[in-house]
Amino acid sequence: MAAVVDAVATRTGERVAVCGHPYGVNCAMGGAALTRNVHHLVLYELYEPSLGMGYPSGSIEAIEAAVAAGDVETAILTILVEILELSEEQCDTMRSGPQRPALLAAGPTVPRGVPDRA
């Protein structure tokens, strides 16, 4: 995904928006950590992460608690590390990249109800 984004950005001279749905959410977030050519991430998951992954025990509660405390940075880091299993280097790239404001803005939307919690 990052290679495609970089190729499009090189050709157009502009950063690109990336949309991810089910499996694409994982690809979009992971790929966005590898390039600075993404200006928006549009991610949609109806219930829980794709590929049959479940949320690790306690992770939704930890994300909800961080959001409730106003610590969206910790909520996002919990998602990136515990759910998406991104490396420290990938997380650092996302934190220093142009997509950081969008990630922080989306943070409070992540701990939505999942089927067994609805």
Side-chain angles (χ1 to χ4, degrees):
M1 190 227 84
V4 171
V5 165
D6 288 342
V8 171
T10 297
R11 185 177 181 123
T12 65
E14 299 180 11
R15 293 184 0 231
V16 300
V18 175
C19 178
H21 182 262
Y23 174 66
V25 168
N26 298 338
C27 294
M29 287 193 73
L34 302 175
T35 179
R36 294 185 181 267
N37 288 315
V38 173
H39 69 78
H40 284 91
L41 282 173
V42 179
L43 308 174
Y44 177 76
E45 267 301 338
L46 184 57
Y47 295 112
E48 58 184 90
S50 57
L51 298 177
M53 297 182 327
Y55 291 110
S57 179
S59 63
I60 293 296
E61 292 79 6
I63 294 165
E64 288 173 335
V67 169
D71 188 1
V72 178
E73 180 84 31
T74 294
I76 293 296
L77 191 58
T78 300
I79 294 161
L80 297 176
V81 172
E82 292 186 19
I83 296 173
L84 297 176
E85 299 178 352
L86 296 183
S87 69
E88 184 175 329
E89 180 181 344
Q90 289 170 314
C91 291
D92 289 344
T93 299
M94 291 189 91
R95 274 194 226 130
S96 64
Q99 69 274 25
R100 184 173 188 266
L103 287 172
L104 293 176
T109 69
V110 174
R112 72 235 183 264
V114 293
D116 61 335
R117 294 173 43 94

